[in-house]
């Protein structure tokens, strides 16, 4: 039988246009969310489910946004998820909502598993405007 172990969430901005945070350096991961999941009582086959949302306002050019999630706290830690989103000139007047979901099957068990979400872009002028959230839970057999 599946055993629920822990659930956490990170909410940086809960409504549209509630922040205006520029992504300061191109092609460099910028942390936007982090959660730690407690693993006490874990049995076999631990499974982590992660999902989130980030909204960006686009510069007036073709550009790409990359979302990455790692198990750990640094952008160089084990990669759990990555996706590129490319935007053209047709969506300039409306901020883009990026939603993502992933799993981490059978992660190495420690007292706490930390997951960190990063965003990067290939063009200066991209602004995080909200909403932004990241949540996850862990279960095992």
């Amino acid at each position: 039988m599946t055993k629920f172990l822990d659930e956490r969430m990170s909410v940086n901005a809960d409504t549209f246009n509630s922040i205006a945070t520029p992504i300061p350096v191109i092609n460099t991961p910028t942390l936007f969310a982090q959660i730690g999941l407690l693993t006490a009582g874990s049995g076999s086959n631990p499974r982590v489910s992660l999902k989130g949302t980030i909204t960006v306002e686009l510069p007036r050019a073709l550009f790409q946004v990359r979302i990455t999630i790692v198990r750990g706290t640094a952008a160089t830690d084990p990669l759990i998820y990555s996706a590129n989103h490319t935007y053209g000139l047709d969506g300039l007047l409306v901020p883009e909502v990026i939603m993502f979901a992933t799993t981490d099957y059978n992660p190495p068990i420690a007292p706490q598993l930390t997951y960190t979400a990063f965003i990067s872009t290939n063009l200066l002028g991209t602004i995080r405007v909200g909403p932004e959230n990241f949540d996850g839970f862990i279960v095992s057999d």
Side-chain angles (χ1 to χ4, degrees), residues 1-8 40-41 136-140:
M1 178 157 67
T2 300
K3 182 187 331 180
F4 175 82
L5 300 174
D6 195 15
E7 180 176 23
R8 303 289 174 176
F137 65 87
I138 183 169
V139 297
S140 72

Side-chain angles (χ1 to χ4, degrees), residues 6-140:
D6 195 15
E7 180 176 23
R8 303 289 174 176
M9 69 181 73
S10 168
V11 179
N12 190 39
D14 56 1
T15 60
F16 172 72
N17 244 0
S18 57
I19 59 173
T21 306
I23 298 175
V25 181
I26 62 170
N27 298 321
T28 302
T30 300
L31 184 146
F32 73 90
Q34 188 174 74
I35 58 172
L37 297 171
L38 301 177
T39 62
S42 176
S44 60
N45 300 317
R47 299 168 307 277
V48 175
S49 179
L50 304 162
K51 65 180 175 53
T53 301
I54 186 167
T55 305
V56 293
E57 189 173 274
L58 315 176
R60 298 200 178 277
L62 180 67
F63 83 112
Q64 187 174 77
V65 171
R66 181 176 180 89
I67 304 294
T68 55
I69 300 172
V70 300
R71 185 186 321 111
T73 58
T76 54
D77 285 335
L79 183 65
I80 302 302
Y81 172 87
S82 71
N84 291 337
H85 304 269
T86 301
Y87 302 100
L89 299 175
D90 56 341
L92 290 175
L93 300 177
V94 179
E96 294 289 340
V97 178
I98 302 167
M99 296 185 291
F100 54 91
T102 190
T103 58
D104 189 12
Y105 182 75
N106 210 13
I109 293 300
Q112 176 176 287
L113 295 174
T114 301
Y115 291 90
T116 307
F118 295 92
I119 186 169
S120 59
T121 182
N122 66 344
L123 189 64
L124 285 178
T126 306
I127 300 171
R128 298 166 35 209
V129 296
E132 288 183 8
N133 62 65
F134 181 52
D135 62 84
F137 65 87
I138 183 169
V139 297
S140 72

